[in-house]
Amino acid sequence: MIEIRHVSKSYNKGKVKAVDDLDLTVRPGEIFGFLGPNGAGKTTTIKMIVGLLKPDAGAIVLNGLDTRTDALACKAMTTYVPDYPAVYERLTGLEYLNFIGDVYGVPKAARLERIEKWLEIFELTSAVGSPIQSYSHGMKQKIVLTAALLPAPRVMVLDEPMVGLDPRSAHHLKEIMREHCDQGGTLFFSTHVMEVAEKLCDRIGIISKGKLIACGTMDELKALDRGAGPTLENIFLELTDK
């Protein structure tokens, strides 16, 4: 579970409010989609959830643990895929995955089994012995996703996870996301692809100018009935235009 309790974050000595009194809960077993225009506060929110930024006000709680007072325990149960694949490019793919396995304390037998599984699914088996700097953008994205899945985390936080993926890998990722939550995990992700969010998410939150302006299931968002139309794209455009 992710609880974001009245969280705010400003930049430039308080002149720019990136996140403004954000209050929402993501339940166990739920895929939660987080949508908003560029600059709306999505990535700032995500970085606060995973501990890369500290809120100016409010609290973030992961499975009952406060990210401020139990930072290490929160990070141990969470994996994060940023909006651009940041990796140690001089390492080979396998060296990078073993490094992540060491950081999270993944036992050797489980590590080998999971690495083999995810490399096969993402079609990286033949490339895993090569330096990551030789990978394409899509391959880097897939090795980062593999690393995020390796610890079998309770909470997954993904920022635009499908950017750069080929259609087959994107399809596999959507299945993996659903399976993670069907097994009781929690998943929070941002995307600009409305069709993916509409079909995949259990609930959706829309943020604009740092404020949560709508949150609910697709049926609940449609029930707002502001004449936007039946699709998430229409609802999103109508709400963020205001």
Side-chain angles (χ1 to χ4, degrees), residues 140-211:
K140 290 176 183 177
Q141 185 72 0
K142 289 191 281 186
I143 202 72
V144 169
L145 287 165
T146 300
L149 292 163
L150 178 57
R154 296 176 65 186
V155 178
M156 292 189 71
V157 181
L158 314 178
D159 196 355
E160 296 286 351
M162 296 178 195
V163 173
L165 294 184
D166 57 85
R168 184 182 300 277
S169 296
H171 173 73
H172 287 317
L173 177 58
K174 286 182 276 189
E175 290 183 330
I176 291 164
M177 292 165 70
R178 183 74 272 166
E179 182 181 355
H180 170 78
C181 290
D182 287 346
Q183 294 174 351
T186 302
L187 196 145
F188 185 103
F189 86 108
S190 73
T191 182
H192 285 300
V193 185
M194 298 295 155
E195 294 84 356
V196 170
E198 185 168 354
K199 292 178 181 178
L200 189 62
C201 296
D202 299 303
R203 286 193 307 137
I204 293 165
I206 300 175
I207 188 173
S208 181
K209 298 179 181 178
K211 285 187 173 290

Side-chain angles (χ1 to χ4, degrees), residues 12 15 17 29 33-34 38 49 57-58 87 94 123 125 127 131-132 154 156 164 175 211 215-216 222 226 228 236:
N12 195 17
K15 295 178 182 177
K17 182 153 274 189
F34 198 49
N38 291 336
I49 293 172
V87 286
L94 186 57
E123 300 177 331
T125 304
I132 295 174
R154 296 176 65 186
M156 292 189 71
E175 290 183 330
K211 285 187 173 290
C215 186
K222 289 177 181 178
R226 300 181 184 179
F236 175 85

Side-chain angles (χ1 to χ4, degrees), residues 3-11 16-25 34 40-41 44-45 48 54-60 206-215:
E3 297 176 79
I4 302 174
R5 302 172 178 169
H6 300 287
V7 165
S8 295
K9 179 68 178 179
S10 297
Y11 298 111
V16 178
K17 182 153 274 189
V19 175
D20 188 1
D21 195 33
L22 181 62
D23 191 73
L24 63 86
T25 298
F34 198 49
T44 295
T45 299
M48 288 191 289
K54 293 183 179 180
D56 296 334
I60 298 174
I206 300 175
I207 188 173
S208 181
K209 298 179 181 178
K211 285 187 173 290
L212 190 69
I213 57 173
C215 186

